[in-house]
Amino acid sequence: MDVALFRDTSSGPRRPKPTGQGGGPGDPPGKEPMFNAPWPALLLVASIIGGYALQSRFPIDMVVAAGAFYPAALGEGRWATLVTALFLHGGWGHALMNGAFALAFAAAVSRFFGERLLGVVSFFAFYLTCGVLANLAYAALHPGGLEPLVGASGAVSGLMAAGARLLAGHGWLGPIRSRMVLGMGAAWVGLNLLIGLIGSAFLPGTGGAGVAWEAHIAGFLAGLVLVRPFAWLAHRA
């Protein structure tokens, strides 16, 4: 989860021809088991966990000052922190939980985009765009806020949304209004509204710190909408 306060504790679009990246010849790319994850997904998980391993070697104050995002940073011209904050976490539990969720959804999404250069670039661009938009949404709801925001959860929420559409479409992009997508979306929004109401003490990996639940919802909505344009970019839709 994103930690708001850093603490050290069917008809449809025309489908492309199969490329053999699924479970067998002609299988959709999203149907291969996630434990056989493609290398872009593994690289993403490594960036989350390895990023925290590197971060933990430096004083917390230095890390926060250098890369954490807070809404007031936009007025200070520190736009780069919209991205750098995605690679920082509040503790090992926080980083490992985000890494696990990322692997669960990134495998299918990365496989869908493909492992050619254009597909890999589209996959990472989609991930980062969802994360940036999640942080911007949080800033819009907390203008001028000074609490540092760190974590990949907004971007991972975008992967979750894309994964829901792939599940709905049996490996291809299903409609947003499908039962699968609406069900996963309602569950994710409901969980985060609950966090907003009663706090995050019941969640593992937060260490009692605040959770930017608004960014989670925004990242999910961004992923729902943006996965198709990025699929077009990768020639997958």
Side-chain angles (χ1 to χ4, degrees), residues 9 40 58 69 74 93 104 106 120 122 145 160 194 236:
T9 47
F58 297 92
F69 171 73
L74 299 178
V120 173
S122 299
M160 181 188 300
L194 183 64
R236 301 299 292 166

Side-chain angles (χ1 to χ4, degrees), residues 109 112-113 122-123 125-134 158-159 161-162 165 173 176 218-234 237:
V109 177
F112 170 72
F113 280 116
S122 299
F123 167 71
F126 170 73
Y127 172 82
L128 292 175
T129 300
C130 289
V132 167
L133 290 177
L159 292 177
R165 294 194 62 179
L173 290 180
I176 292 177
F220 189 90
L221 295 176
L224 282 181
V225 175
L226 295 180
V227 63
R228 186 169 294 281
F230 278 95
W232 288 334
L233 180 64

Side-chain angles (χ1 to χ4, degrees), residues 163-227:
R165 294 194 62 179
L166 290 173
L167 285 172
H170 303 288
W172 304 98
L173 290 180
I176 292 177
R177 290 182 293 179
S178 67
R179 182 177 298 179
M180 173 66 71
V181 174
L182 292 178
M184 287 185 64
W188 189 235
V189 171
L191 173 62
N192 281 283
L193 289 177
L194 183 64
I195 293 171
L197 287 172
I198 68 175
S200 61
F202 66 96
L203 293 174
T206 62
V211 171
W213 57 271
E214 306 95 327
H216 297 172
I217 296 175
F220 189 90
L221 295 176
L224 282 181
V225 175
L226 295 180
V227 63

Side-chain angles (χ1 to χ4, degrees), residues 5 16 42-43 60 67 69 81 86 103 107-108 116 142 145 158 160 164 176 193 214 225 234:
L5 180 60
L42 296 177
L43 180 60
I60 293 175
F69 171 73
T81 58
L86 301 177
L103 181 60
R116 294 182 179 179
H142 302 274
M160 181 188 300
I176 292 177
L193 289 177
E214 306 95 327
V225 175

Side-chain angles (χ1 to χ4, degrees), residues 19-114:
T19 60
Q21 295 176 18
D27 281 349
K31 293 186 70 175
E32 192 171 345
M34 75 175 182
F35 54 76
N36 192 17
W39 68 264
L42 296 177
L43 180 60
L44 176 60
V45 175
S47 73
I48 293 173
I49 298 175
Y52 182 73
L54 178 63
Q55 166 197 331
S56 64
R57 299 176 64 88
F58 297 92
I60 293 175
D61 291 345
M62 179 186 300
V63 171
V64 172
F69 171 73
Y70 50 94
L74 299 178
E76 301 169 3
R78 302 186 64 212
W79 289 80
T81 58
L82 287 167
V83 175
T84 57
L86 301 177
F87 297 94
L88 303 178
H89 288 84
W92 275 113
H94 188 205
L96 291 172
M97 183 172 63
N98 271 338
F101 272 95
L103 181 60
F105 297 102
V109 177
S110 173
R111 190 174 297 112
F112 170 72
F113 280 116

